[in-house]
Amino acid sequence: MIALFLRDVRLAVRAGGGFGLGLAFFLIVIVLVPFAVGPETALLARIAPGILWVGALLACLLSLDRIFALDREDGSLDLIATSPLPLEGVCAMKALSHWVTTGLPLVIAAPVLGLLMSLPTEGYLWLVVSLALGTPALSVIGTFGAALTVGIKRGGLLLSLLVLPLYVPTLIFGAEVARAGATGLAVETQLVLLAAVTCVTMALLPFASAAVLRMNLR
């Protein structure tokens, strides 16, 4: 499992679908928003948590279609599926490698980009906490969507349409944690709900991804 995880991380970086692309897209979104809504600091501070979360979500979408596509193209996916490794564990490692190369860099870069959005000082900690707690769910859900569309030519658009509705609860609770923290309100309820969404997806979706992958590889 560790060897598979390290292999996927190396492939993601070498193929250009790793943290560099996601970070660049995240930066572009955050830089363009002040040009679109104007330089008013109060307005930027009010919308900053939601915009930062939307940017992170869209950045995670960029590399979802590559989770299984590279293995499918070179035939290694069939070998992995027939190996002694449990397919559920393989899907979990795929999701973990996607989070390490895409989600984790976004979590680290978010406070820096929050400066561009005039995010209140109180909101930086809760922004990082919400992204660290919510982005693993984005990767796990994305892995499930990638398993559904594996083998479909030009399935990137279909994949986005499939996973975006599933991303909505994570987006709502994650943005609410950051927004409540930035305004000094209590965040316990939103934080518990966000953690619940992440725990449920991590517990159930690797099994669903493995089942779908078995059907697609028949």
Side-chain angles (χ1 to χ4, degrees):
M1 287 296 183
I2 295 175
L4 178 63
F5 166 72
L6 295 176
R7 169 185 173 272
D8 287 340
V9 170
R10 288 194 296 267
L11 282 176
V13 175
R14 291 174 184 173
F19 59 89
L21 181 61
L23 278 178
F25 183 83
F26 195 23
L27 175 62
I28 290 171
V29 170
I30 302 306
V31 168
L32 290 180
V33 167
F35 289 106
V37 302
E40 186 180 347
T41 303
L43 176 60
L44 290 175
R46 189 164 62 251
I47 67 174
I51 295 298
L52 287 164
W53 251 96
V54 169
L57 185 150
L58 294 177
C60 286
L61 279 177
L62 292 179
S63 56
L64 290 183
D65 60 337
R66 308 181 73 90
I67 292 179
F68 292 110
L70 296 177
D71 294 333
R72 178 73 173 181
E73 291 171 1
D74 62 14
S76 59
L77 184 58
D78 294 321
L79 296 177
I80 294 173
T82 56
S83 71
L85 293 176
L87 203 52
E88 294 80 5
V90 171
C91 293
M93 288 299 103
K94 292 284 187 181
L96 178 60
S97 63
H98 180 269
W99 181 77
V100 168
T101 56
T102 303
L104 183 58
L106 298 179
V107 174
I108 297 172
V112 179
L113 297 180
L115 293 172
L116 301 176
M117 294 292 297
S118 301
L119 183 70
T121 306
E122 299 82 1
Y124 286 96
L125 173 62
W126 294 113
L127 174 65
V128 173
V129 170
S130 65
L131 286 173
L133 194 57
T135 49
L138 301 183
S139 294
V140 175
I141 295 171
T143 302
F144 173 67
L148 281 172
T149 58
V150 67
I152 299 177
K153 293 182 179 180
R154 300 178 181 178
L157 179 58
L158 177 60
L159 174 58
S160 299
L161 293 176
L162 288 173
V163 302
L164 276 175
L166 301 177
Y167 276 174
V168 171
T170 304
L171 173 63
I172 292 174
F173 297 131
E176 281 299 318
V177 169
R179 184 179 299 109
T183 55
L185 300 176
V187 300
E188 288 79 7
T189 301
Q190 299 93 322
L191 200 62
V192 169
L193 291 172
L194 179 62
V197 171
T198 300
C199 290
V200 169
T201 56
M202 293 177 66
L204 298 180
L205 286 188
F207 296 93
S209 301
V212 170
L213 205 55
R214 290 189 185 97
M215 289 188 290
N216 285 338
L217 292 177
R218 288 177 182 173

